[in-house]
Amino acid sequence: MSFFAKLLGTAPDPKEELRPLWLWVVSEARNPAWYRECGAVDTVDGRFDMITNILAVAMLRLEQDEQLVPASARLTELFVEDMEGQLRELGFGDPTLGKKMGEMMEAMGGRLGAFRTAFPNGQEATTDAVNRNANLTDDADGQAMARKLIALNNSLSTVSNDALLSGKFGT
């Protein structure tokens, strides 16, 4: 994109190419099975956990193809944009918004790193990562969520790049 196209806003925003995948992330994070079967807490924090869990899995899939690595940055931009809007709706103002966004980005980065390490090491490592990083109901131990996240990760690894970017694939 040329300097003038950026300056004048005449070129399409490159992150919009990732909007369908972002909408899939949010939709999947709202899937009642994560809450009913996997022990995710149905609170603001629990919903944030599920968004970061699903986003981390999607970003790990983007990392599988060198051509898609830049797309993970644009997907992160959509995450930041959406989370900032949600925080503003919850009443956060400029003085505290930056700090809260920093905390959210740190949580996202931690989740991504935890799953990047855990998935290749199997169920036990992923369960440990879930138990350390997610808000779960009192009777949940992370195993069910770990199994479902591993299955999602495995499923996304078979999705074509075009289907992934379109957000239209069966998982």
Side-chain angles (χ1 to χ4, degrees), residues 3 8 15 34 67 74 78 138 145 153 163:
F3 171 75
L8 300 174
K15 73 178 178 263
W34 292 108
Q67 293 178 354
R74 293 191 302 274
L78 291 170
D138 291 337
M145 185 176 292
N153 185 58

Side-chain angles (χ1 to χ4, degrees), residues 47-146:
R47 285 180 238 128
F48 174 76
D49 281 344
M50 286 315 308
I51 287 173
T52 57
N53 285 346
I54 304 304
L55 181 59
V57 174
M59 290 178 74
L60 290 172
R61 168 56 183 87
L62 291 170
E63 290 177 0
Q64 288 180 3
D65 187 319
E66 191 174 303
Q67 293 178 354
L68 293 180
V69 170
S72 66
R74 293 191 302 274
L75 188 59
T76 302
E77 289 175 17
L78 291 170
F79 166 75
V80 168
E81 184 180 277
D82 195 339
M83 292 301 107
E84 182 177 340
Q86 297 297 324
L87 288 173
R88 287 190 186 281
E89 283 185 25
L90 290 171
F92 285 84
D94 289 336
T96 56
L97 187 63
K99 181 180 178 187
K100 188 65 174 169
M101 285 304 302
E103 291 170 359
M104 293 175 116
M105 288 303 297
E106 187 177 327
M108 179 59 229
R111 193 74 42 97
L112 184 59
F115 290 162
R116 186 181 289 124
T117 301
F119 286 156
N121 291 303
Q123 175 70 37
E124 186 176 335
T126 305
T127 299
D128 289 344
V130 167
N131 285 332
R132 280 192 320 274
N133 291 286
N135 291 299
L136 301 173
T137 58
D138 291 337
D139 59 341
D141 68 0
Q143 288 184 8
M145 185 176 292

Side-chain angles (χ1 to χ4, degrees), residues 153-169:
N153 185 58
N154 292 340
S155 178
L156 287 186
S157 71
T158 66
V159 171
S160 74
N161 291 351
D162 289 340
L164 182 70
L165 295 176
S166 77
K168 296 179 180 164
F169 45 86

